[in-house]
Amino acid sequence: MSHVYMQSHAEIFTTYNIPVVFYDQLGTGSTALVFAASVIANAAPSLKLWEQSMHHWLNKFPEDFREMLKRHERDGTTSSEEYQRGMKEFYNKHSCQVIPWPAELDQSFADMDVNPTVYTTMFGTSEFNLTGSLITWDVTDRLDRISCPTLVCNGHEEGAQDFVVKPFIEKIPKVKWVKFKKSHIPFYEDREYYFKTIGNFLTAA
């Protein structure tokens, strides 16, 4: 996805005078700059853990809903209106609980829809059906190499569940863990507390 939905992080610069660099993943948006940070926010150290988490949440939806998504993924019709509505319902619960979505988030999804080649190549048809080149991506055995102070964040109802971020907590030597109230995008869902948490950590690190 493009960086547009992350633009609210400019608040870290305006409030704490800490430089913020935005970048787009290769093949999306407009840049190819890679930036390393000491904050791991709502992420997974292994794509297999992420997929397990997504299935955990999906299994809480009605069976006919799950079967509808699987049918479209099996038939290659994930661009259909029915499938897109279903995914939006899932994301409303486990990605962003601010309804309607902020315009920046809508724009980032729209940017990806223009050319989904990178997503489908690296992930697959969806987060429930990982078939792409990152299917075996796993850095859990290298987390102990992170030597800088690191803040790990996750939410209560998102892909980065506690069992997903557990390797970060257990293996990074200088780690702090903060859990936000809602789902995957706390800088929309709990903006004030989120930026205060990030800012305070970075200024003290």
Side-chain angles (χ1 to χ4, degrees), residues 1-180:
M1 291 173 60
S2 70
H3 74 281
V4 176
Y5 80 107
M6 299 286 290
Q7 288 177 344
S8 58
H9 284 73
E11 185 168 324
I12 294 174
F13 176 74
T14 57
T15 304
Y16 299 96
N17 201 33
I18 298 172
V20 177
V21 176
F22 298 106
Y23 71 95
D24 292 331
Q25 296 170 337
L26 290 172
T28 66
S30 57
T31 68
L33 174 64
V34 178
F35 181 71
S38 58
V39 176
I40 300 174
N42 312 86
S46 159
L47 261 292
K48 279 299 182 182
L49 288 175
W50 186 265
E51 186 178 36
Q52 290 172 26
S53 179
M54 290 291 98
H55 280 285
H56 167 83
W57 294 126
L58 181 61
N59 287 337
K60 293 183 178 295
F61 282 76
E63 182 178 1
D64 59 343
F65 178 88
R66 302 196 306 269
E67 289 303 317
M68 178 273 292
L69 294 182
K70 291 177 182 178
R71 171 170 50 82
H72 283 295
E73 291 173 358
R74 183 177 60 249
D75 296 345
T77 54
T78 55
S79 61
S80 71
E81 184 176 341
E82 182 182 43
Y83 182 86
Q84 292 300 318
R85 282 200 311 267
M87 288 304 300
K88 187 65 177 289
E89 182 177 346
F90 180 88
Y91 286 145
N92 283 346
K93 180 68 174 175
H94 300 297
S95 288
C96 183
Q97 295 179 6
V98 176
I99 309 297
W101 281 6
E104 298 92 339
L105 182 58
D106 277 328
Q107 183 60 54
S108 287
F109 269 86
D111 289 343
M112 184 172 65
D113 288 341
V114 170
N115 185 358
T117 303
V118 172
Y119 181 88
T120 55
T121 299
M122 298 179 74
F123 284 87
T125 55
S126 79
E127 294 174 90
F128 314 123
N129 185 31
L130 296 181
T131 58
S133 59
L134 288 181
I135 189 172
T136 59
W137 183 84
D138 188 328
V139 296
T140 54
D141 61 344
R142 290 180 278 171
L143 296 176
D144 58 352
R145 302 180 193 177
I146 300 176
S147 59
C148 63
T150 301
L151 176 65
V152 174
C153 305
N154 72 328
H156 279 275
E157 296 183 288
E158 66 145 323
Q161 295 185 61
D162 292 356
F163 81 87
V164 176
V165 301
K166 185 178 180 180
F168 292 133
I169 311 305
E170 293 183 339
K171 296 189 177 186
I172 297 175
K174 302 174 185 177
V175 68
K176 179 179 180 179
W177 178 23
V178 173
K179 191 167 184 177
F180 295 104

